[in-house]
């Protein structure tokens, strides 16, 4: 539980997350949505990592009604994405080389610099666990430890970014076509979460059909749906007939619908690529009955 490479990575996760959280809470400081997200991400990762280490050390995970291998693999990938985002956001919004004015002074700057460093180390610790536990070709492993399972977490995470941009004054309700895109994002997100939940809960064998074939069919449909959104969204947002091809000059920074539409367009193509890779890899997965 603690002396293996994975156990060492988990102990480092606990140490780095606690250190980062404490540095920011003590003197580093945070504010706004960005700071709250970073603190929530670090706190969530610390709490779940503590639970994982405690269950591994005491062997209590055998009493839980879930697939422990799938759970730890899914959490490690999610934590990697959360800590990577926080490691970018916190230095970008809060860390400066210049000392802020008194009473904060250079002490606050030093705490923020230290928190930024430990935030990056925390991301590397979670990324190391993902690399150590990822399924190798020909190896019998949990589904969430395979490339297809890990991609499911990334797809859901990217969908959350899209939803965040949609609700931030993206004007998606102007056309039926853009509403269709929102329906595509929502449907694929819910289906992806359902696949992850079934894997983590260990209920993939009671679906009445082979889970691997079901995943392939769902991923194929998701590729088609995202392909339609990848065509429709840019046309109805950036074509001169329906929207603005360039950022309006009178659009203020931080509250511009065009910016939100651009974020949605970019991450639509990102998710389309992720689903296409997932579809190609899913053809090679073979499930072994427990």
């Amino acid at each position: 539980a603690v002396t293996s490479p994975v156990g060492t990575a988990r102990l480092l996760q606990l140490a780095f997350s606690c250190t980062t959280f404490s540095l920011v809470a003590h003197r580093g400081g945070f504010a706004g949505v960005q700071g709250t997200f970073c603190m929530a991400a670090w706190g969530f990762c610390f709490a779940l990592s503590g639970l994982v280490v405690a269950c591994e050390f005491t062997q209590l995970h055998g009493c839980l009604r879930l697939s422990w291998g799938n759970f730890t693999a899914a959490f490690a990938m999610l934590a990697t994405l959360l800590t990577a985002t926080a490691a970018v956001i916190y230095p970008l919004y809060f860390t400066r080389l210049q000392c802020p004015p008194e009473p904060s002074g250079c002490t606050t700057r030093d705490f923020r610099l230290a928190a930024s460093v430990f935030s990056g180390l925390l991301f590397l610790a979670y990324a190391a666990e993902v690399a150590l536990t990822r399924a190798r070709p020909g190896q019998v492993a949990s589904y969430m430890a395979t490339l297809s399972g890990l991609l499911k977490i990334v797809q859901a995470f990217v969908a959350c970014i899209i939803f965040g941009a949609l609700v931030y004054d993206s004007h998606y309700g102007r056309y039926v076509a853009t509403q269709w895109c929102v329906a595509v994002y929502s449907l694929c997100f819910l289906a992806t979460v359902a696949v992850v939940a079934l894997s983590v809960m260990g209920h993939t064998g009671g679906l009445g059909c082979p889970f691997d074939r079901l995943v392939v069919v769902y991923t194929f449909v998701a590729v088609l749906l995202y392909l339609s959104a990848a065509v429709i969204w840019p046309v109805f947002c950036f074509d001169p007939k329906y929207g603005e091809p360039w950022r309006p000059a009178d659009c203020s920074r931080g509250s511009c619908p065009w910016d939100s539409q651009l974020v949605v367009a970019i991450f639509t193509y990102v998710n389309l690529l992720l689903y296409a890779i997932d579809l190609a890899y899913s053809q090679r997965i073979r499930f072994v009955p427990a």
Side-chain angles (χ1 to χ4, degrees):
V2 295
T3 59
S4 66
V6 175
T8 302
R10 288 170 177 165
L11 290 179
L12 291 175
Q13 294 162 10
L14 283 175
F16 292 153
S17 58
C18 183
T19 302
T20 306
F21 191 92
S22 301
L23 287 170
V24 175
H26 180 56
R27 289 296 296 272
F30 66 97
V33 177
Q34 297 85 4
T36 303
F37 169 80
C38 293
M39 290 293 282
W42 295 325
F44 170 78
C45 293
F46 174 75
L48 265 292
S49 291
L51 175 65
V52 169
V53 171
C55 288
E56 287 279 355
F57 192 77
T58 60
Q59 295 294 307
L60 285 177
H61 59 80
C63 303
L64 302 177
R65 299 178 63 86
L66 50 79
S67 173
W68 186 248
N70 281 317
F71 172 76
T72 54
F75 165 66
M77 189 68 233
L78 176 60
T80 300
L81 296 172
L82 289 174
T83 54
T85 306
V88 173
I89 290 178
Y90 190 80
L92 186 64
Y93 281 91
F94 300 100
T95 304
R96 299 291 184 272
L97 294 178
Q98 298 81 14
C99 295
E102 296 295 340
S104 299
C106 293
T107 303
T108 298
R109 180 205 62 179
D110 295 342
F111 270 79
R112 290 179 176 179
L113 287 172
S116 300
V117 171
F118 278 99
S119 178
L121 293 174
L122 177 61
F123 157 69
L124 293 177
Y126 280 110
E129 181 182 349
V130 172
L132 289 170
T133 58
R134 187 177 67 86
R136 304 300 190 271
Q139 176 186 2
V140 178
S142 303
Y143 171 70
M144 294 307 301
T146 65
L147 179 61
S148 180
L150 297 175
L151 284 174
K152 294 292 187 297
I153 304 297
V154 184
Q155 292 158 5
F157 189 81
V158 171
C160 290
I161 297 176
I162 292 176
F163 293 141
L166 284 171
V167 300
Y168 198 68
D169 199 23
S170 63
H171 294 173
Y172 66 85
R174 291 188 301 173
Y175 304 106
V176 175
T178 52
Q179 294 177 21
W180 159 257
C181 294
V182 176
V184 167
Y185 305 142
S186 303
L187 179 62
C188 293
F189 172 76
L190 293 175
T192 300
V193 170
V195 170
V196 173
L198 287 172
S199 299
V200 170
M201 298 302 294
H203 294 329
T204 56
L207 299 177
C209 61
F211 183 69
D212 53 341
R213 294 299 92 194
L214 183 65
V215 169
V216 170
V217 171
Y218 142 70
T219 309
F220 177 70
V221 173
V223 169
L224 295 181
L225 291 175
Y226 258 92
L227 186 61
S228 68
V231 174
I232 293 173
W233 184 268
V235 169
F236 281 84
C237 290
F238 306 119
D239 189 275
K241 183 178 179 180
Y242 304 102
E244 296 285 345
W246 305 104
R247 193 177 192 275
D250 58 346
C251 211
S252 60
R253 184 176 298 274
S255 60
C256 182
W258 193 89
D259 293 342
S260 298
Q261 293 168 1
L262 181 63
V263 170
V264 172
I266 291 174
F267 282 98
T268 296
Y269 284 102
V270 170
N271 241 2
L272 174 61
L273 178 62
L274 292 174
Y275 276 109
I277 296 174
D278 190 2
L279 178 62
Y281 185 82
S282 297
Q283 302 287 344
R284 303 166 55 190
I285 295 180
R286 293 297 178 266
F287 281 75
V288 179

